[in-house]
């Protein structure tokens, strides 16, 4: 094995012939790694509805695979042909047996419509997806690790970050264009071929091309078939499927997202005839008078907008987070509500829209804003999570004109959930709301509350909270569908299995030496876990401050990478303060985030809010990565130290679920404890720096 002279003591990976120099090869491999991770999350989630319950399941598998690939890179003798093979097999299996929602009943899921699933059960498909994600991502990570063995530490890390940023930007651009998955597959195929078909003898090159190209052609064929089906289209959030038909002479358009029946575009007259409860907010509010100005959050394909116009609204602001669903409604809704001059449509997050407008409304309506199937005890932030907190209801109250009202309806399935929302309205408005329940198993309900008690006319008064009614959700703990104050056993068992798989996988991949190699880098392991929690807190914080849209999320992800890259550049080019000083800066940044919570930032104008939020969020991220860069530079085994850091990030992804108990602000406390542990475990003395 060769030894990298720039980093004494490190064993470098076996060399292989490549048409690229090491720096562009590292950039391409890192870009492939991030792009492939994002594509897997999007595509598997669109075809396996169970991943809506475990939204970071693929992410955790990816972290495990990346860590294993980095560890393998210094001892692997062959190129990682297993990665494209696993990718082709996973796509073929999921396309053969997708998991979608079917009609039926399920006590574990809260959703407004069909519930039973087709395809493999949870216990079968989730392990397949998790293991496959790990194996698939281990391949590009192994290629990245090989490049790390050929470059100085921070130089390699710098180009790794540049490639990662390029991968995120490329995927974001495709999301903006609404590109179908065939584009993802084509880009991944080209990158794999460029990286894994070496310049050797013709026979060796042909064999490599066959090993790489054959499974990838299977993947491309599946994605091409899916992308060219006329009923399929792709939004930044979902695979959207539409089907139109007539029922009793009435034109209907059904919209399904990620395998879940989501909504129907129905003429307003027919909707009100078949389901008159959709007109109840207009009867309960404003003493039955037609509202002049209406705000509809979750406008979707336009049925609720059409009803508002039918009820005499003079102007409707229609807010919908998904541009594809809005555009489908614009083109195909039977009533053409979006073409009405009385309607102004916005593509935005509803909570963010409220925080940026000064308009007053006679009626604010949450019209079934339900992004995906939710499990009882969901831990991940949903697109609509910040719409149902007490602070959100208070924000709606501030935007009501005199005599106005706030209303919502959905299929809630559980009585305690209806009572929780009614209690939230009571806390925000100071009096009991009107609650109209529709008597079926799905428990549709309409909750309406006037600005004052005189501004509502109730058919049936709400009986009030019971002994089992959960308290209102809050911006810090926005888990509306979490009934208990405990982490559900389903999640604990799943996370335990994930960590066990990680321990076994690392041991196997390292040939028994992985843990011995990583033992000196326990501080880097804790730094990785802490960083993951900081990233999670940044994403959730910016989602509250600026919306849960894909644009905001992409900006935050890119911003985190830019902050990390800035930390590396500062460490490379300047004499940074001692590590102890940077730990003090990190602690001060965490304290700043704790002292000035997101609720304080929400009161600021948008421009100032953005500036202050960036400073508060990225100061600890920058400091933490200066610490990492200085420590990483001094390590004797670059691949083991980098792998330890990535596996620590996997632990951080599991610790994210602690927010179910202590809220997102509580993640700062856990991160602080992890960084204290990293500080105590740091090497003592003055190591020689290898930049």
């Amino acid at each position: 094995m060769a030894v990298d002279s720039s980093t004494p003591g490190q064993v470098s990976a076996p060399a292989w012939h490549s048409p690229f120099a090491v720096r562009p090869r590292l950039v391409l491999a890192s870009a492939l790694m991030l792009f492939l991770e994002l594509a897997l999350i999007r595509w598997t989630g669109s075809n396996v509805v169970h991943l809506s319950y475990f939204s970071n399941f693929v992410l955790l598998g990816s972290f495990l695979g990346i860590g294993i690939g980095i560890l393998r890179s210094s001892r692997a003798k062959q190129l990682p042909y297993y990665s494209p093979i696993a990718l082709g097999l996973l796509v073929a299996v999921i396309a053969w047996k997708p998991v979608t929602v079917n009609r039926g009943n399920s006590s574990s899921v809260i959703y407004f419509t069909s519930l039973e699933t087709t395809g493999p059960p949870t216990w079968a498909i989730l392990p397949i997806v998790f293991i496959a994600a790990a194996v698939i991502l281990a391949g590009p990570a192994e290629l990245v690790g090989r490049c790390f063995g050929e470059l100085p530490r921070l130089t390699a890390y710098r180009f790794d970050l540049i490639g990662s940023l390029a991968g995120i930007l490329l995927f974001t651009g495709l999301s903006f264009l609404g590109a179908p998955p065939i584009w993802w597959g084509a880009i991944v195929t080209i990158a794999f071929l460029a990286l894994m078909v070496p310049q050797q003898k013709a026979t060796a090159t042909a064999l490599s091309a066959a090993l790489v190209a054959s499974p990838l052609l299977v993947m491309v064929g599946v994605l091409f078939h899916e992308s060219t089906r006329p009923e399929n289209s792709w939004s930044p959030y979902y695979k959207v499927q539409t089907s139109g038909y007539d029922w009793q002479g009435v034109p209907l358009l059904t919209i399904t997202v990620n395998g879940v029946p989501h909504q129907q575009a129905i003429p307003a007259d027919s909707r009100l005839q078949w389901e008159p409860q959709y007109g109840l907010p207009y009867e309960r509010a404003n003493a039955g008078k037609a509202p002049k100005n209406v705000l509809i959050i979750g406008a979707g394909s336009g049925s609720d907008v059409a009803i508002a116009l039918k009820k005499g609204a003079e102007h409707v602001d229609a807010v919908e987070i998904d541009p594809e669903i809005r555009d489908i409604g614009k083109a195909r809704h039977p009533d053409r509500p979006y073409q009405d001059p009385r309607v102004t449509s916005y593509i935005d997050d509803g909570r963010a829209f409220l925080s940026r407008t000064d308009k007053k409304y006679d009626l604010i309506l949450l019209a079934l804003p339900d992004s995906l199937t939710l499990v009882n005890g969901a831990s991940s932030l949903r697109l609509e999570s910040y719409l149902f907190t007490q602070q959100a209801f208070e924000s709606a109250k501030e935007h009501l004109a005199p005599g106005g009202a706030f209303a919502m309806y959905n299929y809630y399935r559980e009585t305690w959930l209806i009572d929780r929302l009614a209690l939230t309205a009571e806390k925000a408005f100071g009096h009991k709301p009107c609650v109209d329940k529709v008597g079926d198993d799905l428990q549709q309900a309409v909750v309406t509350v006037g600005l004052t008690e005189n501004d509502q006319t109730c058919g049936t008064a709400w009986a009030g909270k019971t002994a089992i009614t959960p308290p209102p959700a809050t911006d810090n703990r926005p888990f509306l569908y979490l009934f208990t104050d405990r982490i559900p056993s389903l999640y604990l068992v799943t996370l335990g299995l994930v960590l066990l798989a990680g321990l076994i996988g690392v041991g196997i991949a390292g040939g028994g030496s992985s843990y011995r190699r990583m033992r000196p880098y326990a501080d880097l392991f804790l730094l990785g876990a802490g960083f993951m929690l900081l990233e999670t807190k940044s994403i959730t914080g910016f989602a509250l401050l600026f919306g849960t849209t894909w644009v905001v999320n992409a900006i935050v992800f890119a911003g985190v990478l830019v902050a990390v890259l800035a930390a590396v550049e500062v460490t490379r080019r300047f004499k940074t303060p001692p590590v102890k000083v940077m730990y003090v800066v990190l602690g001060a940044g965490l304290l700043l985030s704790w002292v000035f919570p997101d609720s304080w930032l929400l009161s600021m104008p948008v421009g100032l809010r953005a500036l202050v939020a960036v400073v508060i969020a990225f100061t600890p991220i920058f400091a933490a990565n200066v610490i990492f860069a200085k420590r990483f530079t001094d390590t004797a085994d670059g691949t083991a130290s980098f792998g330890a850091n990535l596996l620590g990030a996997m632990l951080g992804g599991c610790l994210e679920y602690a927010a179910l108990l202590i809220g997102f602000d509580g993640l700062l406390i856990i991160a602080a404890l992890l960084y204290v542990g990293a500080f105590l475990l740091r090497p003592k003395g003055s190591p020689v720096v290898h930049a």
Side-chain angles (χ1 to χ4, degrees):
M1 304 287 260
V3 178
D4 180 8
S5 60
S6 65
T7 51
Q10 179 188 355
V11 179
S12 64
W16 85 97
H17 298 283
S18 171
F20 299 106
V22 62
R23 285 173 173 81
R25 192 167 75 236
L26 176 55
V27 170
L28 181 58
S30 298
L32 171 62
M33 189 166 63
L34 261 292
F35 185 91
L36 184 54
E37 177 186 310
L38 294 172
L40 276 177
I41 291 172
R42 280 289 312 280
W43 188 80
T44 56
S46 69
N47 288 280
V48 180
V49 74
H50 299 315
L51 292 175
S52 298
Y53 317 155
F54 303 93
S55 60
N56 65 349
F57 206 70
V58 178
L59 182 65
L60 292 175
S62 299
F63 275 132
L64 175 61
I66 292 171
I68 289 174
I70 294 292
L71 290 171
R72 275 181 48 86
S73 62
S74 62
R75 55 188 295 272
K77 294 180 172 56
Q78 298 291 332
L79 287 170
Y81 297 113
Y82 58 82
S83 181
I85 292 173
L87 179 58
L89 285 174
L90 177 66
V91 171
V93 167
I94 291 179
W96 175 49
K97 289 289 185 181
V99 182
T100 59
V101 166
N102 194 13
R103 293 203 172 271
N105 294 307
S106 170
S107 60
S108 64
V109 180
I110 295 177
Y111 188 65
F112 66 82
T113 184
S114 311
L115 297 171
E116 286 186 348
T117 59
T118 62
T122 307
W123 60 266
I125 193 64
L126 287 185
I128 291 174
V129 172
F130 177 80
I131 294 171
V135 174
I136 291 166
L137 268 296
E142 190 176 313
L143 299 176
V144 168
R146 289 168 179 255
C147 297
F148 266 69
E150 301 177 42
L151 292 170
R153 291 281 192 277
L154 290 190
T155 300
Y157 190 35
R158 175 196 189 197
F159 283 99
D160 171 60
L161 290 169
I162 292 172
S164 299
L165 187 59
I168 288 177
L169 293 176
L170 178 58
F171 193 84
T172 300
L174 291 176
S175 297
F176 175 77
L177 296 172
I182 182 59
W183 288 98
W184 311 341
I187 290 171
V188 167
T189 299
I190 292 170
F192 263 124
L193 289 173
L195 288 166
M196 294 182 60
V197 179
Q199 288 184 335
Q200 296 177 350
K201 296 178 182 179
T203 54
T205 301
L207 179 61
S208 297
L211 288 172
V212 176
S214 298
L216 293 178
L217 286 176
V218 172
M219 174 193 69
V220 169
V222 170
L223 298 183
F224 178 79
H225 174 71
E226 183 180 46
S227 300
T228 53
R229 295 183 64 174
E231 70 272 19
N232 291 349
S233 60
W234 294 81
S235 80
Y237 309 100
Y238 309 118
K239 176 173 74 172
V240 183
Q241 296 174 297
T242 58
S243 60
Y245 55 95
D246 284 355
W247 190 73
Q248 296 183 356
V250 178
L252 305 179
L253 177 68
T254 298
I255 299 175
T256 298
V257 297
N258 287 1
V260 179
H262 192 52
Q263 56 186 267
Q264 286 185 317
I266 303 174
D269 287 333
S270 299
R271 172 74 81 179
L272 292 171
Q273 178 185 350
W274 297 336
E275 299 174 287
Q277 61 267 27
Y278 283 95
L280 283 175
Y282 303 91
E283 298 174 17
R284 303 290 180 233
N286 306 299
K289 298 178 183 177
K292 292 183 179 179
N293 293 306
V294 177
L295 170 63
I296 296 178
I297 295 174
S301 56
S303 291
D304 305 284
V305 179
I307 291 172
L309 297 175
K310 182 65 65 175
K311 290 293 184 178
E314 295 181 9
H315 185 82
V316 178
D317 282 340
V319 178
E320 168 58 34
I321 199 170
D322 193 302
E324 180 65 17
I325 291 178
R326 192 278 309 269
D327 290 346
I328 289 172
K330 198 171 186 178
R332 301 179 63 182
H333 194 285
D335 287 341
R336 297 291 192 269
Y338 285 117
Q339 280 83 353
D340 194 294
R342 295 172 291 173
V343 176
T344 304
S345 67
Y346 300 87
I347 299 299
D348 202 354
D349 170 87
R351 181 74 180 276
F353 178 85
L354 282 173
S355 73
R356 289 193 289 263
T357 184
D358 296 324
K359 293 182 67 173
K360 301 286 187 177
Y361 296 93
D362 300 299
L363 177 64
I364 297 176
L365 180 62
L366 298 185
L368 295 97
D370 204 332
S371 62
L372 267 182
T373 313
L374 293 171
V375 72
N376 186 17
S379 66
S380 300
L381 191 71
R382 316 303 299 180
L383 297 182
E384 77 280 5
S385 290
Y386 286 128
L387 288 175
F388 295 106
T389 66
Q390 183 174 332
Q391 292 83 356
F393 285 25
E394 291 167 352
S395 177
K397 178 183 177 182
E398 294 171 359
H399 286 82
L400 289 177
F406 172 67
M408 73 195 83
Y409 46 70
N410 209 327
Y411 295 84
Y412 295 109
R413 289 190 57 79
E414 299 286 348
T415 300
W416 65 261
L417 183 55
I418 300 171
D419 288 339
R420 183 179 211 174
L421 289 167
L423 177 61
T424 306
E426 181 183 23
K427 294 282 188 181
F429 284 80
H431 57 271
K432 290 183 178 180
C434 305
V435 177
D436 295 280
K437 297 180 181 179
V438 178
D440 58 21
D441 292 339
L442 298 178
Q443 292 210 40
Q444 188 179 18
V446 182
V447 179
T448 310
V449 57
L451 185 59
T452 69
E453 196 166 5
N454 293 328
D455 297 322
Q456 62 189 48
T457 304
C458 296
T460 303
W462 179 52
K465 71 173 183 176
T466 68
I468 65 169
T469 303
T474 65
D475 285 347
N476 181 44
R477 199 165 170 262
F479 308 113
L480 175 67
Y481 300 91
L482 180 64
F483 176 68
T484 67
D485 57 357
R486 298 183 299 273
I487 300 177
S489 57
L490 175 64
Y491 283 89
L492 292 175
V493 171
T494 302
L495 292 175
L497 293 174
V498 165
L499 293 175
L500 178 62
L503 291 172
I504 295 173
V506 170
I508 294 175
S513 64
S514 295
Y515 294 109
R516 177 177 53 80
R517 290 174 58 197
M518 290 191 295
R519 192 177 303 135
Y521 310 117
D523 59 324
L524 288 175
F525 178 83
L526 295 180
L527 286 175
F531 175 76
M532 187 65 183
L533 293 181
L534 285 184
E535 184 178 62
T536 298
K537 182 62 176 69
S538 297
I539 292 169
T540 57
F542 275 82
L544 172 61
L545 297 172
F546 306 103
T548 57
T549 64
W550 70 276
V551 175
V552 172
N553 289 340
I555 291 173
V556 175
F557 278 123
V560 168
L561 282 181
V562 169
V564 176
L565 184 58
V568 172
E569 291 301 311
V570 168
T571 306
R572 288 180 69 248
R573 297 175 183 274
F574 303 101
K575 184 178 180 180
T576 55
V579 168
K580 289 183 179 180
V581 175
M582 294 310 301
Y583 269 106
V584 171
V585 175
L586 172 58
L590 292 173
L591 182 61
L592 191 67
S593 298
W594 179 264
V595 172
F596 299 109
D598 296 327
S599 57
W600 177 71
L601 295 174
L602 277 170
S603 63
M604 295 181 173
V606 175
L608 180 61
R609 184 194 311 168
L611 177 62
V612 176
V614 166
V615 172
I616 291 177
F618 292 121
T619 295
I621 289 176
F622 176 82
N625 280 280
V626 170
I627 294 169
F628 170 79
K630 291 170 72 71
R631 173 73 172 98
F632 182 57
T633 301
D634 302 328
T635 56
D637 188 337
T639 54
S641 58
F642 199 52
N645 184 255
L646 289 166
L647 292 172
M650 178 184 170
L651 173 64
C654 294
L655 291 175
E656 174 198 337
Y657 286 80
L660 290 171
L661 298 178
I662 58 179
F664 288 124
D665 287 343
L667 296 183
L668 292 172
I669 298 175
I670 299 177
L673 294 174
L674 291 169
Y675 284 124
V676 168
F679 176 78
L680 295 175
L681 291 173
R682 78 193 192 284
K684 306 303 188 287
S686 302
V688 178
V689 175
H690 303 285

